[in-house]
Amino acid sequence: MVNAFSGLKTYLDSQVLGQPELTEGILLALLANGHLLVEGPPGLAKTRAVNALAHGVEGQFHRIQFTPDLLPADLTGTDIYRPETGQFEFQSGPLFHHIILADEINRAPAKVQSALLEAMAEKQVTVGRNTYPLPELFLVMATQNPLEQEGTYPLPEAQLDRFLLHLKVDYPDAATELAILQLTRNEALSTNAPVVTSITQADIFAARKAILQLHMADGLEQYIVQLIMATRNASAYSEKLASWIAYGASPRATIAIERCARAKAWLNDRDYVTPDDIQAVFHNALRHRLILTYTAEAEGITTDDVLSEILRLVPSA
């Protein structure tokens, strides 16, 4: 089963050049049953990446373009009146697909974010007095432009906390840029679609169970907890660290690190988790969960800087 997902990773890497962290993050979110937030400038293959995933996984895919005039019903669906029956009938919206691309999520108003938050948190949507369950396989990959760009708004902390991982993508180097140029030209000339083995939903659910059964030593669980405690009680490790953190990570962060570390070990065809697995997913799992102080902002300290300092200060198992 691992080989099938390794093949999917190879396929994603062939379609999204120079972004191995993005393609791995997509697989980790899929295997750990979580949602993914990807931040970066336009044109860096964020949409292409989730399109490639949709080609390799059994399920229905839908892209939603978030705009300032979007309404909650544009996501959830709405009740339609049928004159022939004299009754209202629910017409489901795009959230009732298996894989959702929420493009430029931070351009939409708060009511739309609230509707998406319920779907992400509870795997259900509420329309009027009725609540409707979403598919068992439900993955949201949201993209957002950097907050410095015009027309963008920061997402609420509660919604950010629902994302399993927050990835940042940046521009490729010159060699990768040339490879991208050649790939797009070859695709335009070719009439054959790339061949990829489709992974069934049953495969995904089986992989998720296998991941939860991987061995994780008690010391590693303690290590994860201590990493999270360092975000809440930073003064126990360093006064400088404490001056940077206004609010620490929630218990969801603990779960996210554990699930993603397990998934990473499984993808590497191991039946046990190592400290390296935990450290490898640490930044992406916590980048969006910390709130820094004005002191940190004044000193030019980023969330990644804080997380690196925590990894340095907290001893591994």
Side-chain angles (χ1 to χ4, degrees):
M1 189 186 302
V2 175
N3 290 336
F5 284 89
S6 297
L8 178 58
K9 176 68 164 64
T10 301
Y11 168 70
L12 293 178
D13 286 335
S14 72
Q15 297 299 301
V16 185
L17 303 182
Q19 302 287 1
E21 188 174 5
L22 172 60
T23 56
E24 183 182 64
I26 291 174
L27 284 183
L28 291 181
L30 180 69
L31 291 169
N33 193 16
H35 307 292
L36 184 65
L37 177 64
V38 182
E39 180 179 340
L44 294 186
K46 301 186 293 292
T47 303
R48 181 183 175 91
V50 74
N51 267 316
L53 175 68
H55 281 103
V57 172
E58 176 195 23
Q60 298 173 328
F61 166 72
H62 197 95
R63 176 182 179 273
I64 307 171
Q65 182 64 50
F66 279 60
T67 57
D69 60 348
L70 201 68
L71 298 174
D74 295 328
L75 272 63
T76 62
T78 188
D79 291 323
I80 304 296
Y81 181 70
R82 303 294 185 189
E84 59 272 19
T85 63
Q87 295 180 336
F88 285 92
E89 179 182 319
F90 178 66
Q91 182 171 316
S92 61
L95 285 182
F96 286 83
H97 291 76
H98 300 101
I99 301 174
I100 305 293
L101 172 61
D103 209 8
E104 297 188 307
I105 187 175
N106 56 336
R107 293 193 185 277
K111 286 186 177 181
V112 175
Q113 305 294 355
S114 178
L116 182 62
L117 176 59
E118 181 188 11
M120 292 170 57
E122 309 297 338
K123 287 194 176 180
Q124 65 181 33
V125 299
T126 301
V127 178
R129 297 180 179 180
N130 298 317
T131 298
Y132 304 93
L134 293 173
E136 185 178 359
L137 176 62
F138 180 67
L139 169 67
V140 174
M141 175 176 159
T143 71
Q144 70 172 15
N145 294 325
L147 295 179
E148 295 80 11
Q149 293 197 355
E150 185 176 353
T152 61
Y153 308 93
L155 297 177
E157 288 82 358
Q159 185 172 0
L160 283 172
D161 200 33
R162 294 292 181 176
F163 286 102
L164 183 79
L165 298 171
H166 177 194
L167 305 182
K168 286 191 174 183
V169 295
D170 206 348
Y171 294 109
D173 58 26
T176 305
E177 192 88 18
L178 179 60
I180 292 171
L181 186 65
Q182 295 168 346
L183 174 65
T184 54
R185 182 175 66 247
N186 292 336
E187 286 181 342
L189 292 172
S190 176
T191 57
N192 298 321
V195 178
V196 58
T197 302
S198 181
I199 294 177
T200 67
Q201 293 185 31
D203 291 336
I204 296 171
F205 299 142
R208 288 176 178 176
K209 288 185 178 179
I211 286 168
L212 293 177
Q213 293 170 355
L214 259 63
H215 175 70
M216 178 179 282
D218 294 342
L220 290 182
E221 291 184 344
Q222 288 292 334
Y223 179 44
I224 294 174
V225 171
Q226 291 308 311
L227 289 170
I228 298 301
M229 291 298 109
T231 71
R232 302 177 194 167
N233 186 26
S235 59
Y237 293 90
S238 163
E239 289 300 327
K240 180 177 67 173
L241 184 64
S243 71
W244 292 341
I245 302 176
Y247 294 97
S250 75
R252 288 195 192 96
T254 312
I255 298 170
I257 294 172
E258 188 251 5
R259 292 284 177 88
C260 291
R262 286 178 177 274
K264 186 172 180 63
W266 188 84
L267 280 174
N268 289 327
D269 203 15
R270 280 186 278 107
D271 59 359
Y272 60 92
V273 180
T274 69
D276 288 342
D277 296 321
I278 294 170
Q279 294 162 5
V281 303
F282 183 67
H283 284 74
N284 291 335
L286 267 77
R287 179 176 290 125
H288 52 304
R289 303 179 196 270
L290 297 186
I291 299 177
L292 303 188
T293 63
Y294 291 115
T295 300
E297 294 179 9
E299 295 179 8
I301 301 298
T302 66
T303 306
D304 284 342
D305 294 332
V306 174
L307 295 173
S308 296
E309 182 70 4
I310 289 174
L311 282 180
R312 188 183 70 83
L313 291 172
V314 178
S316 62

